[in-house]
Amino acid sequence: MGDSCLAVSVVVIDANVIISMLLKDGKVRAFILRKNNLKLITPGYVEDELAKYANEFAKRLHVSESQIVEMIKEIFATAQISVIPKKEYEEWLEKAR
């Protein structure tokens, strides 16, 4: 028998996906956490964007801002989301526009 090889797809997720996972226990969260053969990545600016609005998320969920920060860390850890620094993709930004 030959070696079995599983293909891994790389999926770039933006802040909206992470916000959805944070605010709702729904289909998006279930899909991401069940991610079979997906490598999840997000651009570095997403962390800044999430931090910028942490206070608003805290108000919506009736928790402290520090709890939101911990929840976001937990999402990144549990979903194994890799953060890609801007320096690794900035040369392609102009081409992408």
Side-chain angles (χ1 to χ4, degrees), residues 9-19 21 32 38-50 72 75-77 79-89 93:
S9 296
V10 177
V11 177
V12 179
I13 59 175
D14 67 2
N16 292 319
V17 173
I18 298 166
I19 291 167
M21 292 177 67
I32 296 294
L38 294 180
K39 177 175 175 48
L40 303 175
I41 63 173
T42 193
Y45 71 83
V46 167
E47 288 181 311
D48 296 334
E49 194 171 333
L50 293 170
I72 291 170
I75 288 170
F76 273 77
Q80 299 177 335
I81 301 169
S82 299
V83 178
I84 308 301
K86 185 176 182 179
K87 67 182 180 185
E88 291 188 29
Y89 62 84
L93 287 175

Side-chain angles (χ1 to χ4, degrees), residues 17-33:
V17 173
I18 298 166
I19 291 167
S20 179
M21 292 177 67
L22 177 67
L23 299 179
K24 298 179 194 168
D25 186 13
K27 292 179 183 180
V28 172
R29 186 187 299 176
F31 175 77
I32 296 294
L33 295 178

Side-chain angles (χ1 to χ4, degrees), residues 61-76:
L61 294 175
H62 307 289
V63 297
S64 70
E65 194 169 333
S66 63
Q67 286 174 297
I68 290 294
V69 170
E70 289 304 312
M71 292 167 72
I72 291 170
K73 286 180 184 178
E74 183 68 26
I75 288 170
F76 273 77

